Amino acid sequence: MKQFNFILFLFLFFCSSSVLNATNWQKKENPFPGHGRENAVTFVIDNVAYVGGGYYYSSGNFYLNDFWKYNPSDDSWTE
């Protein structure tokens, strides 16, 4: 049991320290132009991010069928 606790401690220690040391985040100037949404589909291909679908809530669910492409090289969104 002591060995299991020690391994668990090491796992949690290294996971938390790697998350805390993630300093490569960069704030972009061009915010997402579409609706804020829940349950959207997101994926990345060749360093270009895609987001679409989902829904937003405003006194009822409004389902979205738009899709957006984000290109980080020029900080641009395209519907």
Side-chain angles (χ1 to χ4, degrees), residues 6-8 11 17 31 33 37 52 55 59 67 69-72 75:
F6 181 70
I7 292 171
L8 181 62
F11 175 76
S17 65
R37 57 193 72 212
Y55 67 92
S59 64
F67 228 86
K69 175 175 109 173
Y70 176 69
N71 189 342
D75 191 25

Side-chain angles (χ1 to χ4, degrees), residues 35-73:
H35 261 292
R37 57 193 72 212
E38 296 183 39
N39 295 346
V41 174
T42 60
F43 55 92
V44 175
I45 299 174
D46 291 331
N47 206 31
V48 175
Y50 299 87
V51 60
Y55 67 92
Y56 72 97
Y57 183 83
S58 175
S59 64
N61 286 341
F62 293 91
Y63 293 93
L64 303 166
N65 61 1
D66 58 345
F67 228 86
W68 294 83
K69 175 175 109 173
Y70 176 69
N71 189 342
S73 64

Side-chain angles (χ1 to χ4, degrees), residues 2-54:
K2 287 183 180 182
Q3 185 178 10
F4 174 77
N5 288 341
F6 181 70
I7 292 171
L8 181 62
F9 169 77
L10 287 177
F11 175 76
L12 293 174
F13 176 78
F14 285 112
C15 287
S16 64
S17 65
S18 65
V19 170
L20 293 175
N21 291 329
T23 58
N24 59 349
W25 289 90
Q26 295 177 351
K27 183 177 179 180
K28 297 293 186 173
E29 296 300 320
N30 193 3
F32 178 63
H35 261 292
R37 57 193 72 212
E38 296 183 39
N39 295 346
V41 174
T42 60
F43 55 92
V44 175
I45 299 174
D46 291 331
N47 206 31
V48 175
Y50 299 87
V51 60

